[in-house]
Amino acid sequence: MPSYEFYCRHCKVPFSSQMHVKEHDERVAECPRCHQTRDVEKRISQVHVVTSKKS
Ligand SMILES: [Zn+2]
């Protein structure tokens, strides 16, 4: 199971969580500190994101 990076805006801390790819598509992980998902956002790691060029 891959590990994904998240960031909690409430706690202002990044964290990682293991979840299935499908889960990651549908939702975010729960913050280990405040135990909510409302202020959690996904972080893209390991993948170098460049401005997409749609031709
Ligand atoms: Zn939190």
Side-chain angles (χ1 to χ4, degrees):
M1 198 161 24
S3 178
Y4 292 101
E5 302 272 315
F6 297 93
Y7 178 78
C8 180
R9 289 189 296 262
H10 180 79
C11 304
K12 295 184 171 62
V13 290
F15 65 95
S16 62
S17 178
Q18 288 190 335
M19 63 186 349
H20 291 290
V21 175
K22 192 170 184 295
E23 283 184 293
H24 184 252
D25 284 343
E26 294 173 351
R27 62 185 181 88
V28 296
E30 184 181 274
C31 175
R33 292 195 182 190
C34 60
H35 301 286
Q36 52 79 35
T37 60
R38 195 175 58 250
D39 294 322
V40 174
E41 61 185 30
K42 295 174 185 177
R43 296 189 115 187
I44 307 297
S45 64
Q46 298 172 333
V47 179
H48 184 62
V49 179
V50 295
T51 306
S52 62
K53 295 176 182 176
K54 293 178 180 176
S55 59

